[in-house]
Amino acid sequence: LGSRKGFFWVRFADHDLRGGRSQGPPRKMGNSSTKSSDSSCYSGFGGKSRQDPRLHEQLQKQYETKMKAEGLNDAAIAAFQYNLGVLLSGASTMIPESAIGPVDSLPALEGLNVTPDPSLLKETVILKLNGGLGTGMGLDKAKSLLKVTNGFTFLELIAEQVDSMKKEYQTPDLRFMLMNSFSTSKDTLSALAKYPQLGTGSDLEFVQNKAPKVSAKDYTPASHEPDTSHEWCPPGHGDLYPAMLGSGTLDKLLEKGVKYMFVSNSDNLGATMDLKLLTYFAQSKAPFMM
């Protein structure tokens, strides 16, 4: 059912979420080039190079038009356009082994000399990433609707965990949110209707963006006339920041005084918020902690 890993903390006050990009710019790592030498990078464009600026401009306009017609916001479009630019550039997205090294040492939770500060909970939101479908396990709904123990689903156990934390920390207004996808939102909200104490509407969820699928042949927007919904896919957890920004969730949380966000997957029941870790994170002044 998960372990006490696979989660991270974000500090809103310092961490810049307003770039609208799902990842940083491509970088040169060690002695490896960011340019791909794969000859396939130059095929399928009618003689045009994959790195032809005119091709970039044409494709970006096509995708922008399609995404705007679908009602996607500027942050979603900017994030997709950035990633499309990386794809078209031929840049390598691999980090060579020569550029990385092991961590020498890390502080252990048991050894932290920290006195838990319950007042930080009023500035904190617990966020579960809940955009994935359980198709690999025979489901056509959110993976978190899978029953895991004693007839309880992941979502039901999460609701119980949050309720337990509210009681343990004597913080009835402890904030909880889900990042759903267009594939999981309806079923998730229906399943959680019996837990109104978690929140409702935009106080409970925001929906991650969706990205247009890209044709492998020529990088144009994929088309599937029988069912145009198949032309789209969820962009994954990397969409967290653009989705928060574009949906207005970030501004709403900032207005409420939220500074810290605890993030984990909805199928990781072992990743629960620890007040001692929250206090350590707040005192560290770090913008991000895993």
Side-chain angles (χ1 to χ4, degrees), residues 9-22:
W9 288 93
V10 175
R11 179 194 301 270
F12 288 159
D14 302 324
H15 202 62
D16 180 17
L17 308 186
R18 299 184 179 277
R21 301 190 314 198
S22 59

Side-chain angles (χ1 to χ4, degrees), residues 2 27 29 42 53 75 77 85 97 151 209 268 280:
R27 296 171 295 167
M29 296 291 187
Y42 302 94
I77 295 173
E97 190 172 348
N209 300 302
N268 187 355
Y280 173 78

Side-chain angles (χ1 to χ4, degrees), residues 98-287:
S98 60
I100 62 176
V103 176
D104 293 329
S105 63
L106 285 173
L109 175 61
E110 297 77 9
L112 296 180
N113 185 22
V114 173
T115 300
D117 182 0
S119 68
L120 294 170
L121 294 171
K122 295 183 179 181
E123 302 174 326
T124 301
V125 61
I126 299 170
L127 177 69
K128 284 288 186 177
L129 304 174
N130 190 53
L133 292 173
T135 51
M137 293 173 280
L139 291 178
D140 58 358
K141 298 181 179 181
K143 181 166 50 176
S144 56
L145 293 175
L146 181 71
K147 292 184 178 180
V148 287
T149 181
N150 296 328
F152 289 99
T153 66
F154 283 106
L155 274 179
E156 289 171 330
L157 291 171
I158 288 169
E160 295 294 335
Q161 286 179 335
V162 174
D163 186 60
S164 176
M165 282 187 278
K166 289 181 176 183
K167 293 176 181 177
E168 178 185 356
Y169 299 135
Q170 298 181 348
T171 309
D173 55 351
L174 179 63
R175 294 178 178 86
F176 171 79
M177 293 194 79
L178 293 156
M179 183 175 81
N180 288 322
S181 69
F182 61 90
S183 300
T184 64
S185 176
K186 183 178 179 181
D187 292 331
T188 296
L189 294 182
S190 176
L192 290 180
K194 58 184 176 182
Y195 298 100
Q197 68 273 18
L198 285 180
T200 58
S202 61
D203 288 330
L204 176 61
E205 72 149 8
F206 63 96
V207 178
Q208 68 182 94
N209 300 302
K210 55 183 180 179
K213 293 182 179 179
V214 179
S215 170
K217 180 180 178 181
D218 56 10
Y219 297 92
T220 56
S223 176
H224 187 70
E225 292 298 333
D227 186 350
T228 57
S229 68
H230 291 309
E231 298 176 5
W232 301 87
C233 62
H237 295 164
D239 189 53
L240 172 59
Y241 296 160
M244 290 190 72
L245 177 62
S247 66
T249 300
L250 174 61
D251 288 332
K252 182 184 296 186
L253 290 173
L254 289 173
E255 288 171 2
K256 293 180 178 179
V258 175
K259 295 181 180 179
Y260 310 104
M261 180 169 67
F262 176 80
V263 186
S264 62
N265 288 349
S266 60
D267 59 352
N268 187 355
L269 295 174
T272 55
M273 190 187 66
D274 186 289
L275 183 55
K276 187 176 182 180
L277 273 180
L278 169 58
T279 305
Y280 173 78
F281 178 55
Q283 292 178 357
S284 73
K285 306 298 183 183

